[in-house]
């Protein structure tokens, strides 16, 4: 349940960055100099279409954090498990770093005294559509997990683990982790495929979610003798 702290930080910090970038893009504001220093280390010179891509991805990231925070507060039913202090600190730092990584793809002189040309490209449409699709499935899977611990009236009756069924659970043990990966892939598409920095973020999410999924998959197999044998841990058919 302390994962909600991550999303509180993400909503506040990435919302702040989103407002900052929006003002720089459309209202003639300027980004701070520290963005330029980190940009030289992580990014590269951007074109006008990439300005809009970064703004769009930062918006998607902020919306994702808002939804996950709402799910943590009002949908999910958490057990009494503990979180390691290292994991907790890393999680807080991650959601600060990931938004800053998006912002660092934009140079400090965003406008250069000229009007920004908002160029909506095909990959923006594909990325946003994939983002919406993956987000809907992730929410459905989290609702399924929560309902396993609730009565039909919505009252929490148990904190024990049960075997989930429905939606992407028919294919994998942890579809909400798979959907998380797809959400980050959709942001990479929105950035135009070629942003190496963001693909590094995608690779981190892949390994992080895959490890968690394998551990959950093994838990299901060890504790439920009738667990469906056709289910994979993380990625369907893999």
């Amino acid at each position: 349940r302390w994962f909600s702290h991550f999303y509180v930080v993400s909503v506040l910090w990435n919302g702040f960055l989103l407002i900052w970038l929006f003002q720089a893009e459309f209202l003639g504001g300027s980004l701070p100099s520290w963005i330029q220093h980190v940009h030289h280390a992580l990014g590269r010179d951007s074109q006008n279409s990439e300005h809009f891509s970064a703004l769009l991805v930062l918006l998607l990231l902020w919306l994702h954090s808002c939804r996950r925070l709402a799910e943590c507060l009002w949908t999910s039913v958490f057990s009494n498990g503990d979180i390691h202090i290292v994991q907790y600190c890393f999680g807080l730092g991650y959601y600060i770093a990931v938004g800053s990584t998006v912002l660092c793809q934009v140079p400090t002189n965003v406008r250069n005294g000229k009007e920004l040309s908002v160029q909506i490209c095909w990959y923006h449409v594909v990325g946003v559509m994939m983002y919406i699709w993956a987000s809907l499935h992730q929410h459905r899977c989290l609702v399924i997990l929560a309902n396993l611990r609730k009565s039909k009236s919505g009252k929490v009756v148990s904190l024990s683990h049960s075997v989930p069924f429905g939606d992407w659970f028919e294919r994998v043990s942890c579809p909400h982790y798979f959907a998380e990966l797809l959400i980050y892939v959709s942001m990479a598409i929105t950035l135009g495929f070629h942003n190496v920095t963001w693909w590094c973020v995608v690779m981190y999410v892949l390994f992080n979610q895959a490890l968690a999924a394998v551990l959950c998959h093994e838990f299901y197999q060890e504790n439920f003798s009738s667990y469906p044998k056709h289910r994979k841990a993380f990625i369907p058919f893999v």
Side-chain angles (χ1 to χ4, degrees):
R1 61 173 59 89
W2 279 28
F3 269 53
S4 59
H5 298 182
F6 301 161
Y7 301 118
V8 168
V9 170
S10 182
V11 168
L12 295 176
W13 173 249
N14 293 318
F16 174 69
L17 295 182
L18 181 62
I19 294 173
W20 214 347
L21 183 57
F22 182 86
Q23 290 177 336
E25 294 277 13
F26 297 105
L27 303 179
S30 60
L31 297 176
S33 59
W34 64 266
I35 292 295
Q36 185 175 21
H37 297 312
V38 182
H39 169 79
H40 289 322
L42 297 179
R44 62 184 187 83
D45 291 337
S46 302
Q47 299 174 351
N48 283 343
S49 61
E50 292 175 324
H51 296 167
F52 180 67
S53 297
L55 181 64
L56 187 56
V57 167
L58 200 54
L59 174 62
L60 295 180
L61 181 63
W62 181 75
L63 290 174
H64 176 62
S65 301
C66 289
R67 177 180 63 83
R68 291 294 295 118
L69 176 59
E71 289 166 344
C72 285
L73 295 177
W74 296 298
T75 300
S76 298
V77 180
F78 297 103
S79 64
N80 294 318
D82 297 324
I83 184 172
H84 196 283
I85 184 63
V86 174
Q87 183 185 12
Y88 179 75
C89 294
F90 184 86
L92 293 176
Y94 170 79
Y95 282 100
I96 293 175
V98 73
S100 303
T101 299
V102 178
L103 192 61
C104 287
Q105 306 310 302
V106 181
T108 53
N109 53 340
V110 176
R111 293 186 60 177
N112 272 335
K114 301 179 181 179
E115 291 296 327
L116 172 69
S117 175
V118 176
Q119 300 176 4
I120 299 178
C121 301
W122 65 268
Y123 50 80
H124 294 145
V125 177
V126 172
V128 171
M129 292 295 291
M130 182 177 178
Y131 171 89
I132 294 173
W133 174 65
S135 297
L136 287 173
H137 278 285
Q138 187 178 54
H139 178 72
R140 289 174 186 171
C141 292
L142 291 171
V143 170
I144 290 173
L145 287 175
N147 287 340
L148 292 175
R149 295 176 170 178
K150 296 179 181 179
S151 64
K152 292 183 178 180
S153 63
K155 182 179 179 180
V156 176
V157 294
S158 173
L159 295 181
S160 61
H161 293 278
S162 303
V163 179
F165 292 93
D167 205 75
W168 287 357
F169 279 109
E170 300 303 320
R171 294 293 181 185
V172 294
S173 296
C174 300
H176 47 308
Y177 295 160
F178 179 55
E180 185 81 2
L181 173 63
L182 294 181
I183 287 170
Y184 278 84
V185 170
S186 72
M187 295 181 192
I189 294 173
T190 305
L191 285 169
F193 290 95
H194 56 258
N195 192 296
V196 176
T197 306
W198 192 257
W199 280 112
C200 290
V201 175
V202 172
M203 292 302 295
Y204 163 75
V205 173
L206 169 62
F207 291 122
N208 177 274
Q209 299 296 292
L211 175 60
V214 168
L215 294 175
C216 287
H217 185 66
E218 292 176 348
F219 173 85
Y220 281 128
Q221 290 178 323
E222 292 173 0
N223 290 274
F224 300 97
S225 57
S226 60
Y227 191 72
K229 297 185 182 302
H230 67 276
R231 288 191 192 179
K232 304 302 181 183
F234 180 46
I235 299 176
F237 309 109
V238 177

